[in-house]
Amino acid sequence: MRHARRRVVRRVTRLAAVGGLLLGATMVTRAVASEPPAPAPVPYAASEEDTGPGSALVARLGASRTAGSWLGEDGRTVVAVTDERAAAEVREAGADPKTVRHSMRDLKSATKTLGSAPRVPGTAWAMDYRSNEVVVRGDSTVSADDWSDLTRAAKGAGDFVRMERTEGTFTTRINGAEPILSTAGRCSAGFNVTDGTSEFILTAGHCGPDGSVWFADDGGRKKVGTTVGGSFPGDDYSLIEYDGGRAGEGAGVVSVGNGQGVRITGVGDPTVGQRVFRSGSTSGLRDGEVTALNATVNYPEGTVSGLIETNVCAEPGDSGGPMFSEGIALGVTSGGSGDCRQAGGTTFFQPVTKALAQLKVDLLVAPEAGGDADTAAPAPSAGAAAAPDAASPGSPAAGINASTLLSRLADPRNVGPGMLVIGGSLMALVATRWIRAEQDRKAYQRYYSATWS
């Protein structure tokens, strides 16, 4: 009976050890095989001039014969021109011309005059291509005397400068997609980028100076990273280097709320009239239209130029969050006026393309659905514009279900535990073999003694 029990114990031990070997091997092989591939970096290699479907045509015709381009309601490219010969060339190229009085050279001259006037916080201006005007806005903080002084400067710039008062205040939206917090305030993560060695969050520059430490929780226990560079005022972008140097799984996805995400597959510049989407930790996913490019805003902290102007709403806490369309990264939230509960107001964005070029980093992108992760997605082509009302944020990103056994086994962190399981199983097999050998030796000794005693 005792020998039978021993045989059962040995067999159970061997089976457990073999099972442990198989489990450990599965943990290691699946963890290695499923370790998420590094998102493909997409460099930006375009000029800093106005871009969009009609940009090449505008550049070819010149600043004295054109005054910008935009998307019409049907999605066709419209180019503002100053003479009939330019209009004919636009039609020949497949776009729609619109004859206007003032050229791009006139519009730029007016903005230069406004920029040389005494700075008035709470004001902003931009070139409105569709109305062929420069629009100057003043918020509720601008005094009557300052507004009068700026109005006189505008009259000197030309009769095509339009003055507008706006409700609310032009402020940086300090306080994306995911909230990040530091002693400097609360902001949102924009897009993930890389310099080829480390990975970073691209966010707004006004969120905090170099050395600001960021966390994902109010208690300061989940450290995200540290601000290592940026520009504000003048521009409005900064880099937060990840603690540990890596963004992790889902680096090419932006959150749009309710556990959902959108794949970011490229980088580009918007065009006037384009439908765009913005995601923020305060107000979630919102959409609107690009109303102007190269806008200038006089925030209380300083002047920022070269911004994208939109009618997308935003609220404090959305600052630094991503703006995109059709999966193409376009900007990070800078500031504006209004809110998402009433009129909406105006929101400005730092162009991603300029930030990438100045910081010498590349955007990390997600693979297309069913695609290969190491295939770099190109920027949108000039002819790929959709009608504004037909645009979408981009392709949804499937959520990660970490509760299944398979995903737990496939966790890259299981490589070490898997090796321990394999080692323990081998030791168990060796031990059972040694125990059996010892038992056989003692049994032989007993048999020998009984036979020859």
Side-chain angles (χ1 to χ4, degrees), residues 173-180 186-192 201-207 236-238 254-255 264 277-285 308 312-324 329-335 347-352:
R173 294 301 189 180
I174 193 166
N175 264 356
E178 296 293 340
I180 49 177
R186 176 174 178 249
C187 275
S188 298
F191 300 98
N192 286 309
I201 297 171
L202 177 66
T203 189
H206 68 260
C207 287
D236 197 1
Y237 56 77
S238 65
V254 296
S255 171
I264 299 301
F277 300 82
R278 175 203 56 74
S279 185
S281 58
T282 299
S283 56
L285 182 67
I308 304 164
V312 185
C313 70
E315 296 185 357
D318 293 330
S319 199
M323 182 182 76
F324 47 92
L330 302 173
V332 292
T333 307
S334 174
T347 303
F348 301 94
F349 297 84
Q350 167 69 51
V352 170

Side-chain angles (χ1 to χ4, degrees), residues 382-398:
D389 59 355
S392 67
S395 302

Side-chain angles (χ1 to χ4, degrees), residues 22-35 409-410 415 422:
L22 293 175
L23 176 62
T26 301
M27 292 171 68
V28 173
T29 55
R30 284 193 177 277
V32 172
S34 66
E35 189 162 357
L409 291 179
V415 173
I422 292 174

Side-chain angles (χ1 to χ4, degrees), residues 305-402:
S305 300
L307 298 176
I308 304 164
E309 180 188 284
T310 74
N311 59 13
V312 185
C313 70
E315 296 185 357
D318 293 330
S319 199
M323 182 182 76
F324 47 92
S325 184
E326 303 294 341
I328 302 300
L330 302 173
V332 292
T333 307
S334 174
S337 64
D339 56 51
C340 294
R341 290 161 292 187
Q342 297 177 353
T346 301
T347 303
F348 301 94
F349 297 84
Q350 167 69 51
V352 170
T353 51
K354 183 178 181 183
L356 296 181
Q358 295 292 328
L359 293 168
K360 295 181 173 56
V361 293
D362 299 329
L363 185 74
L364 292 175
V365 300
E368 288 283 6
D372 190 355
D374 57 10
T375 301
S381 63
D389 59 355
S392 67
S395 302
I400 300 172
N401 183 4

Side-chain angles (χ1 to χ4, degrees), residues 78-442:
V78 182
V79 179
V81 296
T82 58
D83 60 69
E84 184 53 39
R85 182 178 174 186
E89 292 188 47
V90 168
R91 280 190 288 268
E92 185 178 351
D96 297 332
K98 179 183 178 180
T99 304
V100 296
R101 288 180 55 199
H102 307 288
S103 68
M104 179 63 74
R105 184 171 295 169
D106 297 331
L107 300 180
K108 288 185 176 180
S109 176
T111 59
K112 184 177 181 181
T113 299
L114 292 168
S116 63
R119 179 178 175 273
V120 180
T123 60
W125 54 80
M127 294 178 284
D128 188 337
Y129 298 155
R130 289 176 285 196
S131 68
N132 196 226
E133 295 174 314
V134 174
V135 181
V136 181
R137 296 184 177 89
D139 67 20
S140 58
T141 66
V142 179
S143 67
D145 290 341
D146 285 341
W147 187 246
S148 296
D149 292 340
L150 191 57
T151 300
R152 283 193 292 271
K155 287 182 179 179
D159 60 358
F160 50 89
V161 179
R162 186 173 81 243
M163 307 293 289
E164 287 185 357
R165 278 288 202 169
T166 183
E167 296 181 358
T169 58
F170 290 128
T171 61
T172 50
R173 294 301 189 180
I174 193 166
N175 264 356
E178 296 293 340
I180 49 177
L181 305 99
S182 79
T183 55
R186 176 174 178 249
C187 275
S188 298
F191 300 98
N192 286 309
V193 299
T194 180
D195 64 359
T197 302
S198 299
E199 293 173 2
F200 311 82
I201 297 171
L202 177 66
T203 189
H206 68 260
C207 287
D210 287 4
S212 299
V213 180
W214 295 91
F215 300 89
D217 64 314
D218 292 324
R221 292 179 295 273
K222 299 178 182 178
K223 184 179 178 183
V224 175
T226 305
T227 301
V228 294
S231 176
F232 180 81
D235 301 296
D236 197 1
Y237 56 77
S238 65
L239 283 181
I240 298 174
E241 184 173 10
Y242 276 103
D243 191 38
R246 288 291 177 268
E249 188 175 2
V253 175
V254 296
S255 171
V256 294
N258 299 320
Q260 303 300 310
V262 168
R263 293 183 180 89
I264 299 301
T265 57
V267 59
D269 287 301
T271 190
V272 173
Q274 180 179 359
R275 187 187 184 198
V276 293
F277 300 82
R278 175 203 56 74
S279 185
S281 58
T282 299
S283 56
L285 182 67
R286 302 285 175 163
D287 71 296
E289 184 180 292
V290 176
T291 53
L293 304 175
N294 297 314
T296 296
V297 185
N298 293 299
Y299 294 124
E301 303 92 334
T303 301
V304 180
S305 300
L307 298 176
I308 304 164
E309 180 188 284
T310 74
N311 59 13
V312 185
C313 70
E315 296 185 357
D318 293 330
S319 199
M323 182 182 76
F324 47 92
S325 184
E326 303 294 341
I328 302 300
L330 302 173
V332 292
T333 307
S334 174
S337 64
D339 56 51
C340 294
R341 290 161 292 187
Q342 297 177 353
T346 301
T347 303
F348 301 94
F349 297 84
Q350 167 69 51
V352 170
T353 51
K354 183 178 181 183
L356 296 181
Q358 295 292 328
L359 293 168
K360 295 181 173 56
V361 293
D362 299 329
L363 185 74
L364 292 175
V365 300
E368 288 283 6
D372 190 355
D374 57 10
T375 301
S381 63
D389 59 355
S392 67
S395 302
I400 300 172
N401 183 4
S403 63
T404 63
L405 175 62
L406 182 61
S407 63
R408 288 179 179 177
L409 291 179
D411 192 332
R413 292 173 295 183
N414 283 336
V415 173
M419 294 298 294
L420 290 176
V421 171
I422 292 174
S425 300
L426 287 173
M427 290 178 63
L429 283 175
V430 172
T432 54
R433 185 69 180 174
W434 181 82
I435 290 172
R436 181 177 180 180
E438 278 295 300
Q439 290 173 343
D440 290 345
R441 184 177 64 81
K442 289 181 180 180

